[in-house]
Amino acid sequence: MSQANPNGQPAAQPAPTPSARRLDIQGLRALAVTAVVAFHANLFIPGGFIGVDIFFVISGFVITGMLLRELERNKRVSLVDFYVRRIRRLTPALIVVLIATIIASLIIFSPIESQKNVFMTAVGALLISSNFVIAANTGGYFDLPAKTNPLLHTWSLSVEEQFYVVYPLLFVILFVWLARVLKKRTLQITVLALITAVSFALPLLPTSSNDFLAQLTSGYYSPLPRVWQLGAGALLAFVAAPKPGSKLATPLAANLFGFAGLAITALGFWGLNENITYPGWATIVSVAAALALLYAGLLPGSLVNRALATKLPVFLGNISYSWYLWHWPVLVSFGLLYPNLSNWAWALGIASILPAWLSYRFVESRYQHRRETHPIRTFAVAALAISLMLGGIYALNTQSKQGYQNDYIKDLQASVKPTYAGRNAGCHATLSPAKLGAKCFFNKTADGTPLYLIGDSNADQFSDGVLSAAKTLKSPMHDATASGCPVIRGIYINSKDGNPRNAQKDSWVKTCARFANGTIDWLKTQPAGIVILASTDGYYFKRDTAIKVDNHYLSGSYPNVLDLLHAALALTVKDIQAAGHKVLLVETIPQFDTKPYVYTPTNCSSATILAGECKLVMPRSFVDKVQGPSRKVVATVAKETAATLFDIRDLLCSPSKCETLNKAGMYLYRDQTHISVAYSKTLGPTFAEAITALEAKPKN
């Protein structure tokens, strides 16, 4: 058996020690990478993500062993040589994968959002900081956005490379410089153990109220709570293999450690899952498993080590770095191209071995063992390659923002932006009109009937259309909207466990209530006019919705949410009418947010956009089935209160279907539940006609 160096290859020098011959690192690497690939391919290993932690322990062990051998051989450690080996080992294969992924992203990924995410993560990977980039832009490792980032896996490479930058310096300080004063290594190892212990404790401490500090000390992508995993492997490297004849230097001990390591590994693979707090106490499992298997390999007669040293594990271990690099971009790209074939992810995981082997054979092996005349050449070539990559990414990102100068892409990019007139002016906020001030008072000098647009984001989407109508009718217009806050008299509550007194996000409930009630109270102080009241019907589908009015919960008097919101909406309309206003009550637009008709334009690839296929068609009968009950409530309230019902469904849908892209090539929707700004601007005449008819209607 050959001692594997940190490059994944048999060390050329010096000759391995007897203990090193018994230890096969590649087989353990194979176990770790196979677990990660299986987890990503949904192959019933819910804890397969701990394979990354096993890699960390291996790295700490191997790097420390290598530095110790160099120190014992040369009485010194060359940091330059270390960094040169790291660059040759890691950078070429990484650059090849980044180039391939970026090229694929230009076709497969969306120029609206996901291409930018690819570019930013690629920059992070090149600058060994992708873990921070991903934490800031992609979200949690187990969240849906993360699963569509083809370079998500580079977070662990950055963590490991950050270790490679810092740890050798620490090693030199502790074991070279201090060793000149201290003859024994006790103090130095104690310092290393203390750093390891502090890192382990960080995510177990009370969470800081500061988000940045909380992410730094316990975040999934943070290097600080991962240091102890690398440190544990480093400490094991200081543990000498037992001498022949000792109690531990026996096949029995080797097999006890080996099978214990396998058992703990199995516990991690099938006992942990993405719902646990990680990193934390659970990281003990992966670290203990790796340490036990590593130590078993230092002992004679380990059956586990013998199995890990067979051809297939060694082969997979040899290509483990490249397999890790290639498998995730392949899985994500396939998933975007063929979302309905997710059951075949396992086949893609296996198939990614081919590009991994090619990368290992023609990239890793070629550059890893090349002997340059001077280290400066390695640094210079790496710096040049990375600089060219960064320049290319910058250029592509600039072009992506400009829609690659293509009208189809630019139209879609414009359509998904919520640049409504009201939002641009700063009127889309949880502030009553009294606090918004003059900025949300449009067409001020007009002397026609005042218009008041109020509601949630589904009211905000109409601000361009209403403003256009106001200018046509020579009417002043006020705008006051807030996301997720229906203008309903009382307090709208998204409760917990169906108990309205146990509200989620209490601060939001109070803020939303102040906005809604403040807006209605403000209307009572304004000249009589027409109030355009709009909101989504999503509140009608939440079982835990509650409404509180005058310290009493309306929910107790109504059998279901539909009846509850019927009462609250009617109460609101009557309250507004009592102040002398007329009400234009808006029906919710057909929404593309229910499976199988879910419209996500930001996921449309460049190829799809150019082909004019970034659209969705939904049967009108499906709209009636989903939204029929809520639409009936709004229509009933309009009839009961003599308010005017405003409904643009017939403009968005034919008698048989609703579409997100019309025949003229206009994107009607910016997302699943809102119309685009361009389409909102076309609604001026429609609003003007409805407002004119309502003006002529006598008051109750």
Side-chain angles (χ1 to χ4, degrees), residues 185-374:
R185 292 174 172 172
T186 305
L187 177 61
Q188 297 99 310
I189 293 175
T190 301
V191 171
L192 188 58
L194 181 61
I195 294 172
T196 301
V198 170
S199 171
F200 171 71
L202 281 178
L204 306 180
L205 298 174
T207 304
S208 171
S209 57
N210 183 290
D211 288 341
F212 174 77
L213 289 178
Q215 284 298 316
L216 196 60
T217 58
S218 59
Y220 191 91
Y221 303 112
S222 174
L224 297 187
R226 302 286 184 175
V227 166
W228 90 274
Q229 299 166 338
L230 293 143
L235 289 171
L236 180 63
F238 287 95
V239 178
K243 296 180 180 179
S246 69
K247 293 182 179 179
L248 281 178
T250 64
L252 176 60
N255 288 308
L256 284 176
F257 277 102
F259 286 109
L262 281 184
I264 300 171
T265 302
L267 173 64
F269 287 170
W270 288 281
L272 303 180
N273 57 56
E274 59 189 54
N275 296 318
I276 64 168
T277 300
Y278 208 88
W281 286 106
T283 54
I284 293 176
V285 175
S286 55
V287 173
L291 291 177
L293 290 170
L294 284 169
Y295 192 70
L298 295 174
L299 306 177
S302 171
L303 295 176
V304 172
N305 189 67
R306 189 179 301 170
L308 292 176
T310 53
K311 288 185 178 180
L312 180 59
V314 170
F315 168 74
L316 294 178
N318 285 339
I319 67 167
S320 60
Y321 176 57
S322 283
W323 194 17
Y324 184 80
L325 281 176
W326 280 98
H327 85 282
W328 186 240
V330 169
L331 287 173
V332 172
S333 300
F334 181 83
L336 288 176
L337 286 172
Y338 305 103
N340 296 325
L341 298 178
S342 59
N343 291 336
W344 287 92
W346 64 270
L348 267 293
I350 296 173
S352 60
I353 290 176
L354 177 58
W357 177 80
L358 292 173
S359 173
Y360 168 74
R361 175 67 178 81
F362 297 104
V363 181
E364 275 190 71
S365 298
R366 179 178 179 182
Y367 290 100
Q368 180 179 342
H369 301 297
R370 175 176 289 181
R371 297 291 181 237
E372 304 293 356
T373 56
H374 200 285

Side-chain angles (χ1 to χ4, degrees), residues 537-543 545 561-562 565 591 626-627 629-630:
D537 59 1
Y539 313 107
Y540 295 79
F541 306 130
K542 296 178 180 178
R543 296 179 180 179
T545 291
V561 175
L562 285 170
L565 287 169
Q591 297 189 336
V626 174
Q627 294 183 278
S630 61

Side-chain angles (χ1 to χ4, degrees), residues 33-280:
V33 73
T34 301
V36 174
V37 174
F39 171 73
H40 286 156
N42 302 315
L43 279 181
F44 309 107
I45 303 183
F49 58 89
I50 70 170
V52 171
D53 304 274
I54 295 174
F55 270 121
F56 287 157
V57 178
I58 295 172
S59 292
F61 176 80
V62 173
I63 290 296
T64 303
M66 183 190 72
L67 293 173
L68 282 172
R69 289 191 298 276
E70 182 179 355
L71 180 59
E72 292 169 2
R73 182 175 66 246
N74 302 328
K75 307 304 179 185
R76 59 184 290 274
V77 169
S78 172
L79 293 178
V80 171
D81 288 348
F82 176 87
Y83 294 131
V84 165
R85 287 194 296 269
R86 294 296 87 215
I87 291 172
R88 290 174 181 167
R89 165 74 173 95
L90 301 173
T91 306
L94 175 63
I95 287 179
V96 169
V97 169
L98 292 180
I99 291 174
T101 304
I102 289 170
I103 292 174
S105 75
L106 299 179
I107 303 171
I108 300 173
F109 292 83
S110 170
I112 311 302
E113 285 185 0
S114 56
Q115 280 184 12
K116 177 185 175 183
N117 206 14
V118 172
F119 298 152
M120 292 178 65
T121 309
V123 169
L126 288 168
L127 300 180
I128 62 173
S129 59
S130 66
N131 52 326
F132 297 117
V133 173
I134 291 168
N137 298 284
T138 300
Y141 183 75
F142 302 110
D143 296 340
L144 183 60
K147 295 177 180 178
T148 58
N149 183 347
L151 296 175
L152 173 74
H153 61 325
T154 61
W155 77 269
S156 65
L157 302 180
S158 288
V159 168
E160 196 161 346
E161 288 162 356
Q162 289 155 16
F163 170 78
Y164 293 154
V165 170
V166 176
Y167 179 66
L169 296 173
L170 177 64
F171 184 91
V172 168
I173 292 171
L174 292 178
F175 300 101
V176 179
W177 296 352
L178 280 180
R180 296 169 183 171
V181 179
L182 303 173
K183 300 303 180 183
K184 294 185 178 181
R185 292 174 172 172
T186 305
L187 177 61
Q188 297 99 310
I189 293 175
T190 301
V191 171
L192 188 58
L194 181 61
I195 294 172
T196 301
V198 170
S199 171
F200 171 71
L202 281 178
L204 306 180
L205 298 174
T207 304
S208 171
S209 57
N210 183 290
D211 288 341
F212 174 77
L213 289 178
Q215 284 298 316
L216 196 60
T217 58
S218 59
Y220 191 91
Y221 303 112
S222 174
L224 297 187
R226 302 286 184 175
V227 166
W228 90 274
Q229 299 166 338
L230 293 143
L235 289 171
L236 180 63
F238 287 95
V239 178
K243 296 180 180 179
S246 69
K247 293 182 179 179
L248 281 178
T250 64
L252 176 60
N255 288 308
L256 284 176
F257 277 102
F259 286 109
L262 281 184
I264 300 171
T265 302
L267 173 64
F269 287 170
W270 288 281
L272 303 180
N273 57 56
E274 59 189 54
N275 296 318
I276 64 168
T277 300
Y278 208 88

Side-chain angles (χ1 to χ4, degrees), residues 591-613:
Q591 297 189 336
F592 291 79
D593 64 344
T594 304
K595 292 181 179 181
Y597 303 104
V598 178
Y599 177 60
T600 310
T602 54
N603 285 349
C604 288
S605 68
S606 298
T608 301
I609 297 169
L610 294 176
E613 295 300 320

Side-chain angles (χ1 to χ4, degrees), residues 467-478:
L467 179 57
S468 175
K471 291 177 179 178
T472 299
L473 300 173
K474 296 180 172 55
S475 293
M477 171 196 164
H478 295 269

Side-chain angles (χ1 to χ4, degrees), residues 664-675:
M666 175 184 287
Y667 290 99
L668 306 179
Y669 284 73
R670 79 170 173 86
D671 60 16
Q672 300 167 1
T673 58
H674 301 91
I675 58 173

